[in-house]
Amino acid sequence: ALAVQAPCIELNDGNKIPSLALGTGRGTAKESDSLDDVRKAVLWAIEAGYRHIDTAAVYGDEEQVGQGIADAIAKGIVTRDQVFVTTKLWNDKHARDKVVPALRESLSRLGLDYIDLFLIHFPVATKDDGSYENIDYLETWNGMEEARYLGLARSIGVSNFNASQIDRIVANSPVRPAVNEIEVNPTLTQEPLVYHCLSLGIAVMSYSPFGFLVSRDRPDAPPPRYDDPTLAALAAKYGKTPGQIVLRYLIERGLIPIPKSTNQKRIAENINVFDFQLTREEIASISRFNANTRVIDISHWKDHPYYPHQS
Ligand code: NDP
């Protein structure tokens, strides 16, 4: 198969971000899967044309992500500056003086000397035993600014922040987040938060892009599932799969989807979404699935002062 390139979006700091990323989170990994699958997936993705990889300290796979990138560089497919790498700060490193050392540790695991995008993974700070810590994310943001000032992170942003948390950073800091990475898929369309971020010039990365199209062990979850008739009709019309229809839907909403796969065929399939266009009505028909139902449940943090969700 020919390699497909995702066009880039310009961030509010002038850097360019490829509009689709490979996800490397381990949330859907099966017990039989090994971390080495991540290394292979990253190499396959770069071979298929991906130029953006999403990881996080908490995934425990930064080393394998770095190996996959190194494999691709060794094969002469890309140079370091042609790959955009995103990683994230975990909740137990929110103290200002822990941010830069945590990034240095991520970089050392990745085998990189800078990261393209560094995100605060959640607004919620915890101690290393998981209990709550009352650290203001504005303090954490100061640490992120330092990481950028030192050149260790080219762009900085947040993940899982709500609109008022975004506003509070914008009001209190000279550096705006370049990105907010949040869950967006057909059952959680997030129109208000997406509009809020894009209006402020903050790009939105959409995680768990397939929502409940794929099994999440939640038989009660709302539609659409992979075999949904609305998606099947669009797939037939465009000669694409239901998964590709959903990724295209997100891209046309101006989002940067992060499909995760460790399967070579599906990795190539997921980036092959730049040769067709949905109509406005088709986009609206997918948005109508919205049920405000999340794949990623963090309600165990609901009593934290910075819990981002309504319920
Ligand atoms: P996705 O929505 O990407 O779904 C992944 C699942 O879909 C896997 O089971 C995968 O299986 C399957 N799949 C992939 N491609 C296809 C396809 N074309 N057809 C059918 N099935 C397919 O889920 P995630 O929840 O992993 O989210 C994606 C990424 O977003 C994460 O990996 C992570 O990088 C990021 N993320 C960030 C969070 C945050 O808090 N910032 C939270 C959650 C995720 P297989 O691998 O076998 O193909």
Side-chain angles (χ1 to χ4, degrees):
L2 281 175
V4 177
Q5 297 283 327
C8 284
I9 291 175
E10 188 168 325
L11 297 172
N12 60 21
D13 57 14
N15 293 329
K16 291 190 169 60
I17 186 171
S19 57
L20 184 136
L22 178 77
T24 65
R26 307 298 288 152
T28 60
K30 297 178 218 61
E31 249 173 79
S32 55
D33 295 348
S34 85
L35 273 177
D36 201 50
D37 295 341
V38 175
R39 176 182 186 162
K40 283 187 276 180
V42 168
L43 174 61
W44 286 332
I46 295 172
E47 285 175 338
Y50 289 67
R51 294 293 178 266
H52 184 176
I53 314 292
D54 180 81
T55 185
V58 79
Y59 300 165
D61 64 5
E62 287 173 313
E63 198 182 323
Q64 288 73 22
V65 167
Q67 288 165 342
I69 293 169
D71 292 343
I73 292 173
K75 286 185 114 183
I77 306 167
V78 285
T79 52
R80 165 65 185 99
D81 59 298
Q82 292 170 332
V83 186
F84 190 103
V85 187
T86 297
T87 197
K88 313 185 192 87
L89 179 80
W90 189 239
N91 305 352
D92 61 355
K93 305 282 194 258
H94 276 215
R96 192 196 189 290
D97 62 351
K98 285 191 180 168
V99 177
V100 165
L103 176 55
R104 288 193 196 278
E105 284 177 22
S106 283
L107 290 172
S108 140
R109 286 187 292 264
L110 284 157
L112 302 176
D113 52 16
Y114 69 90
I115 200 81
D116 294 277
L117 176 62
F118 191 38
L119 304 176
I120 303 179
H121 205 146
F122 287 95
V124 170
T126 58
K127 302 205 169 75
D128 49 17
D129 65 3
S131 63
Y132 292 167
E133 179 127 75
N134 196 357
I135 299 176
D136 191 330
Y137 53 81
L138 290 181
E139 172 184 335
T140 314
W141 188 249
N142 287 332
M144 302 293 283
E145 290 172 323
E146 185 188 355
R148 181 168 174 263
Y149 178 75
L150 293 171
L152 297 172
R154 297 264 164 102
S155 295
I156 53 175
V158 296
S159 178
N160 297 296
F161 275 51
N162 67 29
S164 48
Q165 292 169 334
I166 292 278
D167 288 346
R168 205 166 150 256
I169 293 189
V170 169
N172 289 284
S173 141
V175 182
R176 235 173 230 213
V179 165
N180 189 14
E181 180 175 313
I182 57 174
E183 181 179 335
V184 192
N185 53 53
T187 36
L188 186 73
T189 54
Q190 300 260 43
E191 273 91 348
L193 182 52
V194 167
Y195 180 79
H196 193 83
C197 292
L198 296 184
S199 307
L200 289 168
I202 298 170
V204 178
M205 289 172 66
S206 91
Y207 73 67
S208 301
F210 294 123
F212 295 102
L213 259 66
V214 296
S215 171
R216 309 276 183 178
D217 294 323
R218 296 259 297 272
D220 57 320
R225 300 310 169 81
Y226 194 83
D227 60 359
D228 182 273
T230 300
L231 298 180
L234 293 173
K237 173 176 173 186
Y238 293 107
K240 294 287 175 180
T241 66
Q244 289 172 317
I245 296 295
V246 167
L247 294 174
R248 184 70 209 175
Y249 158 77
L250 296 167
I251 288 162
E252 290 193 27
R253 287 186 55 200
L255 308 173
I256 302 164
I258 318 169
K260 173 268 170 186
S261 181
T262 43
N263 173 282
Q264 189 172 17
K265 188 171 150 281
R266 288 189 288 278
I267 288 170
E269 176 185 321
N270 293 342
I271 197 172
N272 188 12
V273 291
F274 294 99
D275 58 354
F276 73 109
Q277 226 176 331
L278 301 168
T279 67
R280 285 171 77 97
E281 176 45 38
E282 287 164 351
I283 293 168
S285 74
I286 299 175
S287 287
R288 280 195 289 274
F289 283 112
N290 184 39
N292 294 316
T293 305
R294 293 173 190 282
V295 167
I296 299 298
D297 177 10
I298 55 162
S299 56
H300 47 283
W301 292 331
K302 67 178 177 331
D303 297 325
H304 193 284
Y306 299 124
Y307 180 69
H309 305 325
Q310 296 286 5
S311 54

